[in-house]
Amino acid sequence: MSATFETLVEQVRTCSPQEKEELKFLLERALIEERRGEIRANHRRSQDELKRGKLKFSSSVSELKKSLAAE
């Protein structure tokens, strides 16, 4: 744990309950936005793979198992 992180944690502990709630809200929103970015990047990568013909779709469970085993 870095000294900066430890300092931040100690500063948060001294905040009022209202400030802690606001920090919690801000952190939750930041995490949501990061996850959205990951989903967006995965979507773009999948779209690219689809355009290049590397993405395959199948409703067959055995085909899915084969493709997962190949990775």
Side-chain angles (χ1 to χ4, degrees):
M1 194 181 310
S2 70
T4 303
F5 182 77
E6 290 175 11
T7 303
L8 178 61
V9 169
E10 288 304 316
Q11 288 174 346
V12 168
R13 287 189 175 135
T14 64
C15 290
S16 70
Q18 185 178 11
E19 290 171 323
K20 289 176 186 173
E21 285 293 329
E22 182 67 19
L23 283 170
K24 177 184 170 194
F25 175 80
L26 292 171
L27 284 171
E28 287 172 344
R29 294 300 166 256
L31 289 168
I32 289 168
E33 287 303 314
E34 284 182 23
R35 183 64 184 132
R36 281 184 182 150
E38 292 171 5
I39 292 169
R40 191 173 17 259
N42 288 336
H43 172 72
R44 288 179 181 146
R45 191 169 31 258
S46 295
Q47 292 295 316
D48 184 51
E49 289 179 9
L50 180 63
K51 288 178 187 174
R52 291 185 289 135
K54 292 192 173 203
L55 191 61
K56 297 177 184 176
F57 294 96
S58 175
S59 59
S60 166
V61 173
S62 61
E63 287 294 320
L64 177 60
K65 287 180 180 179
K66 284 180 190 176
S67 70
L68 291 173
E71 293 179 358

